[in-house]
């Protein structure tokens, strides 16, 4: 009886954890075709898992509510860091890096894997 109850509680906790996961968490296919992993809780870190710059951390974001995020994003080609924004729509993640207070921005759309 105790074993069945323990298994039921464990299964419930695992399912609840998946339901509470932030939509930005997980693996994303970048515009260049590399895989980026986004993980964290409250503050999210972006690390490239495949491609030319595998293992490199390229960003840090915090939720601003309703599927939107703000933080910093680094171009792995030149190691320049920009003010970043991200927004989720379905299985798409629009990433933007900006300079001059948002006057000049570059955007990419990533796809959830």
């Amino acid at each position: 009886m105790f074993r069945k109850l323990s298994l039921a509680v464990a299964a419930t906790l695992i399912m609840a954890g998946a339901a509470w996961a932030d939509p930005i968490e997980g693996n994303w296919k970048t515009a260049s075709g590399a895989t980026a992993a986004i993980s964290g809780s409250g503050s999210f870190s972006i690390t490239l898992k495949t491609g030319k710059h595998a293992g490199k951390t390229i960003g840090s974001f915090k939720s601003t509510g309703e599927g939107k995020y703000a933080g910093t994003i680094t171009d792995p080609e030149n190691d320049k860091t920009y003010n970043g924004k991200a927004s989720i729509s379905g299985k798409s993640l629009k990433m933007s890096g900006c300079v001059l207070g948002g006057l000049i921005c570059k955007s990419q759309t990533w796809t959830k894997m």
Side-chain angles (χ1 to χ4, degrees):
M1 176 70 172
F2 182 73
R3 182 177 178 177
K4 286 182 182 180
L5 181 59
S6 295
L7 289 173
V9 169
T12 301
L13 290 174
I14 289 169
M15 295 300 283
W20 290 333
D22 197 281
I24 199 170
E25 290 181 288
N27 292 321
W28 297 85
K29 179 73 75 178
T30 69
S32 69
T35 299
I38 302 178
S39 61
S41 178
S43 180
F44 301 95
S45 177
I46 306 169
T47 303
L48 293 174
K49 294 296 181 186
T50 65
K52 182 177 169 183
H53 302 285
K56 191 174 222 177
T57 298
I58 62 163
S60 177
F61 283 86
K62 289 188 178 184
S63 176
T64 59
E66 298 182 17
K68 298 188 185 307
Y69 303 83
T72 59
I73 189 80
T74 301
D75 182 340
E77 289 292 328
N78 61 22
D79 286 328
K80 289 186 179 180
T81 300
Y82 304 94
N83 290 325
K85 294 187 289 185
S87 61
I88 294 177
S89 178
K91 290 188 172 210
S92 295
L93 175 64
K94 183 176 180 183
M95 303 286 290
S96 299
C98 302
V99 295
L100 300 173
L103 202 57
I104 301 171
C105 298
K106 185 177 177 183
S107 298
Q108 292 185 359
T109 300
W110 295 1
T111 306
K112 185 83 169 197
M113 297 177 73

